[in-house]
Amino acid sequence: MAPYKIRFLPDGQTVEVEGGSTVTEAAQKADVHINNLCGGKGVCGRCRVQVNNGKVRADKHSISLLSKEEILEGYVLACQTKVDSDMEIMIPAESILEEGQILMDCSVEYSTPEKINLHRVPADPMCLYEPLTQKVFLEMKEPSPEDNVSDMDRIIRELRKKTPYRDFEISLLCLQGLAMKLRTNAWKATATLAKHGDIGSILQIEAGDTAERNYGLAVDVGTTTVVAQLVHLKSGNVLGVAGSHNPQAHFGEDVISRMIFACGREEGLHPLHQAVIKNINQLIKSLTEEKGVDPREITALVAAGNTTMSHLLLSLIPCSIRVDPYVPTANVYPQIRAKELGIDIHPGGIVEVIPGVASYVGGDIVAGIIACGMADRPETRVLIDVGTNGEIAIGNNEWMVCCSASAGPAFEGGGIKHGMRATRGAIEKVVVSNGRVEYKSIGKGKLKGICGSGLIDSLYELARNHIIDGEGKFHRSSHDGRVVERDGELQFVLAPAGETEIGREIVITQSDISHLIRSKGAVFAAIKSLMDYVGLNFNAIDTFFVAGGFGSYLDIPKAIKIGLLPDIDPSRIRFVGNSSLMGARMCLLSAHTMERAAQIARNTTNIELSNYHPFMDEYVAAMFLPHTDRKLFPSVDY
Amino acid sequence: MAPYKIRFLPDGQTVEVEGGSTVTEAAQKADVHINNLCGGKGVCGRCRVQVNNGKVRADKHSISLLSKEEILEGYVLACQTKVDSDMEIMIPAESILEEGQILMDCSVEYSTPEKINLHRVPADPMCLYEPLTQKVFLEMKEPSPEDNVSDMDRIIRELRKKTPYRDFEISLLCLQGLAMKLRTNAWKATATLAKHGDIGSILQIEAGDTAERNYGLAVDVGTTTVVAQLVHLKSGNVLGVAGSHNPQAHFGEDVISRMIFACGREEGLHPLHQAVIKNINQLIKSLTEEKGVDPREITALVAAGNTTMSHLLLSLIPCSIRVDPYVPTANVYPQIRAKELGIDIHPGGIVEVIPGVASYVGGDIVAGIIACGMADRPETRVLIDVGTNGEIAIGNNEWMVCCSASAGPAFEGGGIKHGMRATRGAIEKVVVSNGRVEYKSIGKGKLKGICGSGLIDSLYELARNHIIDGEGKFHRSSHDGRVVERDGELQFVLAPAGETEIGREIVITQSDISHLIRSKGAVFAAIKSLMDYVGLNFNAIDTFFVAGGFGSYLDIPKAIKIGLLPDIDPSRIRFVGNSSLMGARMCLLSAHTMERAAQIARNTTNIELSNYHPFMDEYVAAMFLPHTDRKLFPSVDY
């Protein structure tokens, strides 16, 4: 099969592929980022592209999720369509994963260092400031016949004076070249130390005084995005933040599709592992270039991710995570050196991955527990992480219980006709009153879709205006012109075609609403089940922390009123954004906190909701707006 | 400069080199082993070769150490002679380093495993049998919903039942691939553990039961020879031994010339480091092939060597060892992994290098102290290692003091006209009576020279027969025909030309005798100084252990009578051969002993004899046969 030339518009990237390759594969080769929510199974419909020129091998799978109008315009699903000639393909705005926008988006949360400190959310009061690595400047006396201990002993003697450690270990790499380094630099050197139990582990010895130049990296390895903060370890200051889509999305958008990719073929794990390592290295490159830091001056990295992400990061086989009885290779990970993973910081730099509790309650949640100070205070607190997998943790300094529930990707825009992540062009706020719709979108420019917070608002506004009923069904007759029928399904028109970049109306369909109700129901049922399991009611909780990929904005009262969050005083519910990243940074800045993370992971009880019968009843009861048991939501005004 | 063809006889190896290369460099390239005692400085005269055909660029350095007769026969010094045409070069027997003979030679000591056990010399009574690595077979229960701990936790749970460890650490490499390994092998696996403080360090997890197949390697990295023993770690049995010349000899025969090579040029350290690593890998290959062991089944290696050899092994800069105040990079070395050094055993296998006391009292001596059980018994014992550098240790379970003295290479054959190592063709025993000389040589075939034990015997026999006086001077008139004058120097003819392979008489010259007296004087003076330093006389010593490269034989009474060893009951003096190798094996078989080695190294006091004034007086007094103070040698019969 001869190679064909494929040109992707609007940016014009060109690539050659063999006939029979899918358009998605061609795009991957061209480094063009097409949405791939379902991992190429042809069921999400998020990879629609328009064939301008060229022949494709299309079949019913290529067009099954498209409207007749789209089919006539030459749209196909990229993942189901095979190349059969030279082609020119237009990728519509809503099908592009725009790399550039993520960082801006994260910037809302993280770009202003002075706003970010350990006290942004109640910090761990036990958090001793003791970065994972520290640099100690040493001025030594030159050897003499009366004092001719070895170079290593001379260094250790100085370190004993300047650090609390009594015993030290040293890597071979540090000793190699040491004799010259000390003798050509007047016996002035800087040692980089890490805590290893009670032992000071010497990672590096540099000539002269470099004590100021010691950096760390906190990384949140999310399923969707990877965000890294560059931290000056001596001061704790965040120097910069960079983020990107997780490029593993090429292989499947959610953890399940990635596990299927990793486990369904020979060497399936390798490309997923490589993708995230390469991604982290790109973030390191961009951060260090911007801030004038040599990547080798980064001597510690802490990563937090869910159990699957942590496994892929470490190249651990994730396959048994997916199948009953859901057993990961490990929940607590060894401390490793950067060179073992090929991470481009100091090769002997330490890499810690925050430990998790179980297959579906990972290190991101433990990091969140740390960030929210939950495990070191007597008050009982709850952390709710809303994502495709919703995780809930509840506890205090004496006990901690957690669970997870498959909520579906609706609040991240997945499975929703015009759903999208909280990036530029996403509708993030919606108000409907007297038949008029007002919305606010992220950034300037035309609309592309609706993100999680916009979907929550929409659901509430539709219910409050009685456009949908308690089961989420449209009242066909109401609000003429806004509720329309297309392709046999009722939909609410949020924005007319003229206001959108995609050239079509942005709508919320009946099945979108069903998805949203299922998602919010699963999350609430998980919260409720866990509260019941520990025998507490909502009033016993000091604070509810909500994390998740909503972007910078979440209207908590509306989230309560659709029945996603419990109906308590909204001031007791706090949206904490990326608590996983913050927990990673707290571990980076405190070896003690990193040790606590392992204790928290080990001492947290995980409830498998699939084996916990009351959960199913709670789930069914929560599949209503706001809830079948309206007494649980006294404040609801519709 | 065109490349020239150089052919080496007698074996016919051919190599091409550029004009201007030295003959020594050509020989190295051809893998022909020419003696190179002084490291190519043209001062030892041990690399004489005969040019059969071809032009050389010779100058006075090429021939300065040769007799007129030799010059006429076309002899030159290989290290000082540059190639200037195609050549044919004959390497005389005495200039060849014969690889093949070392093993045979070592075999005398080590080839019979059943003779070798920890009790061959008084073993360390504290030596707990606890090999550095152990394999533990685990049969685990398959995970179930009621028991879904991670794979790693499942393994650790089993290990807690089967080992005394409470806490474990695991390498990333062990976790990678683990999920599959357990699930395709019915949850049967074997873990390889090393002791890391109080923690069990998991190096490897293999499928199935491999607990029997765990091997270790004890290596004596000597300046002259490298000897390795393959040990079955579960039983402690020595399966085989292999040895070779240390190929670093290409760069200089003794530690000083090697340091000069390493420090005198850019990248000088690298070839020395690579040479010994390659050498160890060759020994591993030969041992494992012979014994049907996969090199990856070797999971631990313990090496012992002097401080310079240890530095070169670990690629540490040795340069400051050589200059006052004699400071090494380290005396205690980190535990490393085989892959860090490129040693071809299990890449995660642990490599320990036995710690030393100071620049000139290295891990070989600490290994000897261990092998001789010196540091764990109340009796005070002495270890004397006779080599180019003579090291002495004295002590018991409460204290240990050591020193070293530059004895010169005489007892290893260096600087002696017909001196050689204890390999085939070496005269190792000599008796002179009534003008007749009887000798015994190693192996069959013609004579090549005299080794250390032969030199000790000769010195004694010459003194006893009054052929030399107390200062070692020949009585010109005595024993006509045996004492002759050649090249202006008196010499004693030990073997006539007809009995030798080299076609010339084997003689002991006046300057040979001076060298031998200086060497024995330095060793005895060091012993005596150390005894005086600690305030003990020879009778207070339980046992004197003598180690050194004498081969398998040392006539202790004769060594006493020349004044090398103290004049006590010879039954209290034991020749222990390669105590360094034995100490290394004891450490391999006992993590406790390995830890003891570091304690011994730290707690041993080193006396720098160069700063210790009484030593010089002792040295001068000992430069006499047997000694200036004859009362110290009451048993001497001449």
Side-chain angles (χ1 to χ4, degrees), chain B residues 22-255:
Chain B
T22 66
V23 173
T24 300
E25 286 163 355
Q28 281 171 17
K29 201 171 165 191
D31 241 357
V32 171
H33 302 271
I34 297 184
N35 222 324
N36 190 24
L37 188 63
C38 66
K41 291 196 294 294
V43 297
C44 74
R46 308 308 302 280
C47 63
R48 57 193 73 190
V49 297
Q50 198 176 10
V51 179
N52 287 359
N53 280 305
K55 271 197 300 180
V56 298
R57 286 183 230 165
D59 58 16
K60 67 173 189 215
H61 300 296
S62 313
I63 55 170
S64 59
L65 296 172
L66 306 177
S67 66
K68 196 175 157 191
E69 184 187 26
E70 288 174 322
I71 295 166
L72 293 173
E73 287 172 0
Y75 280 88
V76 292
L77 297 184
C79 72
Q80 296 297 313
T81 301
K82 290 179 177 166
V83 169
D84 204 18
S85 76
D86 290 354
M87 292 174 79
E88 187 177 270
I89 288 168
M90 176 60 151
I91 307 167
E94 72 270 26
S95 295
I96 297 181
L97 278 174
E98 285 184 49
E99 290 290 341
Q101 292 170 6
I102 288 293
L103 184 53
M104 287 182 54
D105 176 43
C106 297
S107 303
V108 179
E109 281 294 304
Y110 302 107
S111 68
T112 323
E114 59 276 17
K115 281 195 188 162
I116 304 165
N117 60 62
L118 296 180
H119 308 286
R120 179 171 165 275
V121 295
D124 180 346
M126 302 291 287
C127 176
L128 308 173
Y129 190 76
E130 184 191 13
L132 287 194
T133 57
Q134 57 166 317
K135 284 193 176 182
V136 185
F137 175 56
L138 307 170
E139 286 183 284
M140 287 160 280
K141 264 179 57 187
E142 198 171 340
S144 65
E146 294 70 42
D147 173 23
N148 65 350
V149 299
S150 73
D151 294 352
M152 179 176 125
D153 287 345
R154 190 167 303 270
I155 282 172
I156 288 176
R157 195 167 64 185
E158 279 312 289
L159 282 172
R160 286 216 177 98
K161 293 182 203 157
K162 297 207 166 177
T163 71
Y165 298 111
R166 167 103 200 113
D167 293 319
F168 294 86
E169 60 184 21
I170 190 162
S171 74
L172 181 61
L173 220 58
C174 287
L175 292 178
Q176 290 170 343
L178 178 63
M180 196 63 75
K181 210 175 272 176
L182 295 177
R183 284 168 183 77
T184 54
N185 288 283
W187 297 89
K188 291 179 174 51
T190 303
T192 308
L193 285 183
K195 188 172 184 298
H196 188 200
D198 293 335
I199 291 172
S201 178
I202 307 172
L203 306 182
Q204 180 185 222
I205 297 166
E206 294 169 290
D209 184 356
T210 64
E212 280 296 325
R213 299 197 65 83
N214 191 30
Y215 302 90
L217 205 73
V219 187
D220 168 44
V221 184
T223 308
T224 309
T225 57
V226 178
V227 185
Q229 283 181 336
L230 180 66
V231 181
H232 184 249
L233 290 182
K234 197 167 171 195
S235 65
N237 288 337
V238 176
L239 301 183
V241 60
S244 74
H245 283 291
N246 187 331
Q248 291 175 338
H250 281 320
F251 307 99
E253 199 97 350
D254 58 30
V255 294

Side-chain angles (χ1 to χ4, degrees), chain A residues 132-134 165 192-196 199-203 335 350:
Chain A
L132 288 194
T133 57
Q134 56 166 318
Y165 298 111
T192 307
L193 285 183
K195 188 172 185 298
H196 188 201
I199 291 172
S201 179
I202 306 171
L203 306 181
Q335 187 190 82
I350 62 176

Side-chain angles (χ1 to χ4, degrees), chain A residues 143-145 148-152 170 172 175-177 179-180 183 314-317 320 325 327-332 334 336 608, chain B residues 143-145 148-152 170 172 175-177 179-180 183 314-317 320 325 327-330 332 334 336 608:
Chain A
S144 64
N148 65 350
V149 299
S150 73
D151 294 351
M152 178 177 125
I170 190 161
L172 181 60
L175 292 178
Q176 290 170 344
M180 195 64 73
R183 284 169 184 76
L314 296 174
S315 196
L316 305 180
I317 299 172
S320 46
V327 175
T329 295
N331 284 313
V332 181
I336 52 184
E608 287 286 356
Chain B
S144 65
N148 65 350
V149 299
S150 73
D151 294 352
M152 179 176 125
I170 190 162
L172 181 61
L175 292 178
Q176 290 170 343
M180 196 63 75
R183 284 168 183 77
L314 295 174
S315 196
L316 306 180
I317 298 173
S320 45
V327 175
T329 295
V332 180
I336 52 184
E608 288 286 354

